């Protein structure tokens, strides 16, 4: 340790600061630096114009109704439908990955590697192009909302499958043995004994997956959406460009959209925290 | 119950367990090297032997938690080793108690006992709970029906695990070192429950290190070493007056753990190394010495 050598060889009888004093000094310097940055930003930025564009109360009042009835609603629909697809498909893929049958394991691995490696927006494009060609006569599959659920859901499924697989593997082997010893079939044991324990472990990472989906739902705009299909980002952006009568161009609707996202995501993470505490108590 | 004369070759349909020529290999390691044994209905048989001797593997082969490599096993009239055997039905007739209890931590004690009754035996919830409470009573745990397993002591969990097996009305119970994971002061309560079961006429095969239990309760003791049955007979004989050299050495080491000297240990190990690596040594002291001795 070089520093110790330095201190011991230079025999200057200088009184060093105590550890506490040093910590305090560092902290003071950090705060001072932070203060300088804030002051500089305050002086250098054109805050008047900025706040007019970003925090226009009149715009907020006018935009809020449609933010709720169209933007928030669509964001929730896209998210939840994609999550439903992702969770059910993800569970199947996870079970395939854990199967005794090599072919299933192989297919599962290919699926996960494929959809984890592609950008969600590319998958959305592919689904949007592919479904009309593959299933031209199915009105159900042509539905915009269905295509979004499939596109976002199939990407989410890859991540969810890996999460579920880890959860299942975290359940001790003896649990399956005990269940089988009681005469349960492997399917029954999986449903009644293994999965309930696995899902307990993976609720936090699954919620994380929902939060990611909430944000990924903003990619839907790339497919070309009509006004009624706008989610929060696209709606905020269309307000922001001034293309809607009565609402001046400005960034306020985007800020508002951001707040709406937090309105969804913050309670979710809070709920997970509570759940984790409850589980910890039960142990 | 009296001990039975073993007749190699013929499988008696009346017995609870018949094993012929059982071989089990893990990769290139042969753990069981041809086991023959019979257990009659109502008989209590303890299987003893050093760690890595294959006792647990043999027990797990009986209800197919391990797939035998070769040999024939008939349990309660089910030919386990036949690929057409209805495994779930066969397992329903066999209760199994594990070293690590393996209770379901996400279910209450009562649910632990009822879930398989309801889903497998198709009993009604009321009936299943009645059976469960009766069996909890039997193991002295009726007051804990609403608790979750992780809240209970090891001894309590193991008693509940026994009650869970009993709730399926098994014709035969397998115990895989049921007290090995317990704190010493909790061993007694579990052994007492097992003793009660034996008295009630339950057919039991118990892999154990509890010599006192084997001597008190077992109709017959089987000593295994190196993947074969070395000696079997009445408890008094195998434990109190063993005939084979290997059994004698094992008994001496188990009954006089502090008197085992370095020379005796090395001399007492006819087939030392490969077996000790398979399982964590339960008779830690002696086995570890054996390794250092080489």
């Amino acid at each position: 340790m070089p520093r110790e050598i330095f201190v011991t060889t230079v025999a200057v009888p200088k009184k060093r600061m105590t550890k506490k004093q040093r910590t305090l000094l560092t902290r003071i310097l950090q705060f001072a630096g932070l203060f300088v940055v804030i002051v500089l930003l305050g002086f250098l930025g054109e805050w008047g114009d900025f706040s007019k564009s970003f925090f226009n109360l009149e715009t907020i009042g006018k935009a809020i109704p449609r933010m709720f009835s169209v933007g928030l609603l669509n964001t929730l629909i896209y998210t939840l439908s994609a999550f439903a697809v992702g969770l059910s498909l993800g569970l199947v893929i996870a079970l395939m990955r854990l199967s005794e049958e090599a072919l299933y394991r192989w297919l599962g691995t290919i699926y996960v590697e494929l959809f984890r490696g592609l950008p969600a927006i590319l998958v959305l494009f592919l689904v949007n192009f592919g479904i009309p060609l593959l299933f031209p006569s199915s009105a159900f599959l042509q539905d915009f909302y269905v295509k979004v659920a499939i596109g976002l859901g199939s990407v989410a499924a890859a991540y969810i499958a890996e999460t579920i697989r880890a959860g299942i593997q975290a359940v001790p082997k003896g649990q399956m043995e005990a269940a089988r010893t009681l005469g349960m079939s492997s399917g029954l044991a999986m449903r009644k004994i293994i999965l309930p324990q696995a899902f307990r472990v993976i609720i936090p990472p699954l919620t994380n997956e929902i939060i990611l989906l909430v944000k990924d739902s903003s990619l839907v705009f790339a497919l070309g959406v009509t006004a009624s299909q706008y989610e929060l980002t696209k709606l905020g952006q269309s307000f922001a460009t001034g293309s809607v009568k009565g609402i001046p161009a400005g960034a306020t609707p985007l800020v508002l959209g951001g707040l709406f996202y937090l309105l969804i995501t913050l309670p979710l993470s809070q709920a997970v925290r509570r759940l984790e505490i409850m589980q910890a108590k039960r142990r | 119950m009296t001990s039975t004369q073993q007749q190699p070759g013929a499988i008696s349909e009346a017995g609870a367990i018949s094993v012929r020529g059982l071989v089990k290999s893990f990769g290139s390691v042969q753990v069981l090297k041809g086991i023959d044994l019979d257990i009659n209905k109502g008989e209590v048989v303890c299987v003893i032997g050093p760690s890595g001797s294959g006792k647990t593997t043999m027990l797990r082969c009986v209800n197919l938690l391990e797939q035998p490599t070769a040999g024939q096993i008939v349990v309660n009239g089910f030919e386990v080793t036949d690929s057409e055997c209805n495994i779930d039905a066969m397992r329903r007739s066999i209760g199994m108690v594990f070293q690590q209890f393996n209770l379901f931590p996400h279910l209450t004690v009562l649910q632990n006992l009822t879930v398989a009754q309801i889903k497998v035996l198709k009993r009604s919830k009321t009936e299943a709970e009645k059976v469960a409470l009766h069996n909890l009573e039997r193991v002295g745990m009726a007051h804990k029906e609403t608790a979750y397993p992780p809240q209970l002591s090891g001894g309590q969990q193991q008693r509940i695990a026994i009650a869970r097996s009993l709730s399926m009305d098994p014709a035969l119970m397998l115990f895989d070192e049921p007290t090995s994971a317990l704190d010493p002061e909790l061993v007694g309560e579990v052994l007492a429950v097992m003793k009660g079961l034996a008295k009630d006429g339950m057919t039991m095969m118990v892999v154990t290190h509890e010599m006192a239990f084997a001597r008190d309760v077992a109709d017959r003791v089987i000593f295994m070493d190196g993947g074969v049955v070395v000696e079997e007979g009445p408890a008094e004989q195998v434990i109190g007056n063993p005939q084979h050299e290997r059994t004698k050495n094992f008994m001496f080491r188990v009954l006089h753990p502090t008197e085992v000297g370095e020379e005796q240990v090395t001399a007492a190990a006819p087939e030392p190394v490969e077996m000790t690596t398979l399982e964590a040594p339960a008779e830690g002291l002696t086995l570890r010495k054996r390794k250092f001795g080489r």
Side-chain angles (χ1 to χ4, degrees):
Chain A
M1 294 193 190
R3 206 174 58 175
E4 274 177 20
I5 293 165
F6 177 76
V7 170
T8 46
T9 48
V10 181
V12 180
K14 181 173 137 197
K15 255 218 157 169
R16 291 185 56 90
M17 282 187 293
T18 64
K19 206 172 174 187
K20 223 176 182 178
Q21 284 171 323
R22 257 179 294 155
T23 319
L24 187 66
L25 186 67
T26 337
R27 197 46 44 85
I28 289 172
L29 285 175
Q30 284 170 351
F31 285 171
L34 195 64
F35 182 73
V36 170
V37 170
I38 290 171
V39 168
L40 273 178
L41 274 176
F43 274 112
L44 295 177
E46 298 289 346
W47 288 97
D49 292 352
F50 180 83
S51 62
K52 231 180 268 164
S53 170
F54 273 69
F55 305 105
N56 188 328
L57 283 179
E58 212 188 314
T59 305
I60 290 181
K62 280 183 183 156
I64 257 189
R66 279 193 68 198
M67 275 300 205
F68 265 112
S69 65
V70 178
L72 182 65
L73 183 67
N74 276 323
T75 293
L76 286 178
I77 291 176
Y78 296 142
T79 304
L80 293 179
S81 60
F83 185 69
V85 171
L87 189 63
S88 27
L89 189 59
L91 181 59
V92 174
I93 304 283
L95 292 176
M96 282 171 80
R97 294 263 280 164
L98 293 169
S99 168
E100 284 170 19
E101 175 62 51
L103 178 70
Y104 291 153
R105 281 203 307 273
W106 195 65
L107 288 174
T109 308
I110 288 185
Y111 183 94
V112 168
E113 293 304 332
L114 192 67
F115 282 89
R116 233 176 14 177
L118 296 177
I121 195 162
L122 182 87
V123 175
L124 270 177
F125 280 139
L126 288 176
V127 167
N128 196 35
F129 275 109
I131 283 185
L133 293 174
L134 265 178
F135 307 103
S137 52
S138 165
F140 175 73
L141 288 174
Q142 305 303 325
D143 186 81
F144 180 76
Y145 288 92
V146 174
K147 282 194 284 191
V148 168
I150 294 173
L152 289 177
S154 51
V155 175
Y159 291 95
I160 291 175
E162 284 301 88
T163 307
I164 294 178
R165 185 174 68 105
I168 292 175
Q169 284 176 327
V171 178
K173 209 175 126 220
Q175 292 289 310
M176 180 55 103
E177 286 183 354
R180 296 304 304 275
T181 306
L182 290 170
M184 294 190 194
S185 66
S186 63
L188 182 64
M190 188 53 91
R191 268 180 297 141
K192 287 281 153 192
I193 306 301
I194 308 298
L195 286 181
Q197 293 184 59
F199 268 92
R200 240 168 236 211
V201 181
I202 63 176
I203 279 178
L206 271 189
T207 312
N208 225 13
E209 205 52 53
I210 300 183
I211 292 175
L212 288 176
L213 267 175
V214 170
K215 297 185 290 176
D216 275 357
S217 67
S218 64
L219 298 173
V220 164
F221 85 94
L223 299 182
V225 281
T226 64
S228 69
Q229 294 161 346
Y230 284 0
E231 36 61 61
L232 285 170
T233 305
K234 179 66 187 169
L235 183 65
Q237 193 245 358
S238 83
F239 282 145
T241 54
S243 61
V244 177
K245 247 188 217 163
I247 296 180
T252 307
L254 290 172
V255 173
L256 194 59
L259 291 176
F260 271 88
Y261 279 112
L262 294 179
L263 198 69
I264 306 173
T265 53
L266 290 184
L268 273 179
S269 15
Q270 185 61 34
V272 170
R273 222 163 297 145
R274 279 231 193 104
L275 232 115
E276 279 177 330
I277 293 170
M278 261 166 58
Q279 277 177 26
K281 267 189 200 156
R282 190 126 133 207
R283 273 208 187 124
Chain B
M1 299 290 146
T2 52
S3 69
T4 45
Q5 202 65 38
Q6 194 182 310
Q7 302 149 338
I11 283 205
S12 68
E13 290 292 327
I17 302 177
S18 289
V19 176
R20 289 293 174 275
L22 173 61
V23 174
K24 172 67 185 175
S25 302
F26 292 103
S28 60
V29 184
Q30 201 175 47
V31 180
L32 299 180
K33 302 171 179 170
I35 304 267
D36 296 311
L37 62 85
D38 288 271
I39 292 178
N40 284 356
K41 281 179 185 150
E43 208 179 9
V44 176
V45 174
C46 282
V47 184
I48 59 173
S51 289
S53 58
K55 317 179 290 286
T56 291
T57 306
M58 188 265 291
L59 193 78
R60 288 166 61 87
C61 280
V62 168
N63 68 353
L64 233 53
L65 283 180
E66 302 289 354
Q67 188 71 42
T69 309
Q72 193 189 13
I73 302 174
V74 177
V75 183
N76 296 333
F78 291 94
E79 183 163 356
V80 175
T81 34
D82 181 357
S83 58
E84 292 298 306
C85 169
N86 183 345
I87 297 173
D88 291 336
M90 173 271 290
R91 284 186 176 139
R92 246 171 272 156
S93 69
I94 306 175
M96 176 139 181
V97 176
F98 298 86
Q99 186 176 352
Q100 299 295 340
F101 333 132
N102 293 346
L103 291 176
F104 307 133
H106 63 300
L107 301 178
T108 64
V109 166
L110 192 64
Q111 288 167 335
N112 261 279
L113 270 68
T114 56
V115 61
Q117 289 189 65
I118 294 170
K119 294 288 166 189
V120 178
L121 300 181
K122 308 290 177 202
R123 286 179 182 156
S124 72
K125 190 162 176 258
T126 350
E127 195 193 348
E129 284 178 353
K130 211 177 119 198
V131 174
L133 285 173
H134 167 72
N135 284 311
L136 284 177
E137 198 89 45
R138 242 172 125 178
V139 301
M141 291 299 299
H143 57 298
K144 291 287 187 189
E145 56 173 277
T146 54
Y148 284 89
Q151 300 167 333
L152 303 171
S153 77
Q156 291 176 322
Q157 290 193 51
Q158 192 61 296
R159 278 146 68 197
I160 289 163
I162 294 173
R164 178 174 68 177
S165 288
L166 287 175
S167 298
M168 302 299 285
D169 299 329
L172 159 73
M173 295 268 289
L174 307 176
F175 293 82
D176 181 12
E177 303 197 22
T179 56
S180 296
L182 297 177
D183 290 337
E185 77 271 23
L186 302 178
V187 169
E189 59 188 71
V190 173
L191 292 182
V193 167
M194 291 167 62
K195 223 169 178 174
L197 279 182
K199 207 179 269 170
D200 292 348
M202 175 62 76
T203 311
M204 295 161 67
M205 176 146 97
V206 186
V207 169
T208 187
H209 292 287
E210 299 291 337
M211 293 306 148
F213 174 81
R215 203 196 301 238
D216 285 0
V217 181
D219 298 309
R220 202 147 47 94
V221 171
I222 293 177
F223 173 72
M224 281 179 67
D225 193 12
V228 294
V229 173
V230 174
E231 186 167 352
E232 67 171 298
E236 275 315 316
Q237 181 200 315
V238 178
I239 295 174
N241 183 24
Q243 302 303 305
H244 282 73
E245 202 57 31
R246 282 199 266 180
T247 323
K248 280 182 193 167
N249 280 322
F250 175 76
M251 282 306 155
F252 184 80
R253 278 181 282 138
V254 170
L255 300 177
H256 312 276
T258 53
E259 290 172 36
V260 180
E262 196 75 26
E263 328 80 68
Q264 266 171 316
V265 172
T266 34
E271 286 181 30
V273 228
E274 53 170 327
M275 296 180 285
T276 57
T277 52
L278 276 172
E279 279 175 24
E283 296 89 25
L285 183 65
T286 51
L287 280 172
R288 237 174 281 138
K289 261 191 198 164
R290 192 199 273 185
K291 264 187 201 165
F292 288 135
R294 284 179 64 248

